[in-house]
Amino acid sequence: MSAPHTEGSFTPGPTQAEVRAEHESLGHMFSSMTEKVSILVRQEVALAKAEATDSAKKAGKGAGFLAGAAVAGFFTLMFLSLMLMWLLDEVMHLGLAALIVAILWGIIAAVLALLGKKHLEKIKGLPQTQQTLQEIPETLNPAKETR
């Protein structure tokens, strides 16, 4: 029985969810919910694919520009090295000048390799992903047996 109606008060009617709860079976509601969740998941996957494709295209274009810059930089360094070799040829034999330039580039390569190795050793993989995967309850993790 509803509360007595007093003047000036307003009792709203049942909401759409309340009407559905009264008339639909629990199985039908669960079926409807799983269908909507499935649609939502498919839409999220489609969005992620579209974003990943767009990002990959942009990354590919950027990588192409960087590769072109690397080739241009290589030729610049090669011609500067040749210039240094020809300048050193004025005071020593050409073979010795070439050896000195090669040793300089060997030292630069060794220093860069050590710095690169040092930075790669600092990489910790995917720490945030590893942490969130460890937080998945055992009952939801198919790799572990539930008791």
Side-chain angles (χ1 to χ4, degrees):
M1 190 170 184
S2 64
H5 181 69
T6 59
E7 195 170 318
S9 69
F10 173 73
T11 306
T15 64
Q16 184 180 2
E18 292 171 334
V19 171
R20 284 185 63 204
E22 287 181 22
H23 296 93
E24 288 184 25
S25 70
L26 185 60
H28 187 266
M29 283 188 222
F30 184 74
S31 173
S32 176
M33 180 198 67
T34 56
E35 179 182 339
K36 289 177 182 177
V37 168
S38 177
I39 291 170
L40 178 64
V41 168
R42 281 195 299 268
Q43 289 173 341
E44 288 297 321
V45 168
L47 176 62
K49 284 181 183 179
E51 287 178 330
T53 300
D54 185 51
S55 293
K57 286 179 183 177
K58 289 178 182 175
K61 193 174 187 177
F65 286 130
L66 287 175
V71 169
F74 168 76
F75 281 115
T76 301
L77 290 175
M78 183 180 69
F79 283 109
L80 286 173
S81 299
L82 287 172
M83 182 195 71
L84 178 61
M85 185 180 74
W86 290 113
L87 285 175
L88 289 174
D89 180 44
E90 297 293 323
V91 294
M92 61 185 71
H93 187 269
L94 183 60
L96 186 57
L99 179 64
I100 290 172
V101 172
I103 289 172
L104 285 174
W105 279 113
I107 291 169
I108 292 170
V111 168
L112 290 174
L114 289 174
L115 288 173
K117 182 180 180 221
K118 183 179 176 182
H119 278 84
L120 287 176
E121 288 173 349
K122 291 180 182 179
I123 294 175
K124 293 183 180 12
L126 305 170
Q128 203 169 14
T129 301
Q130 290 173 351
Q131 179 183 352
T132 57
L133 287 176
Q134 290 173 353
E135 293 172 0
I136 295 175
E138 287 185 22
T139 55
L140 296 178
N141 190 343
K144 294 182 181 178
E145 290 185 21
T146 56
R147 297 174 199 195

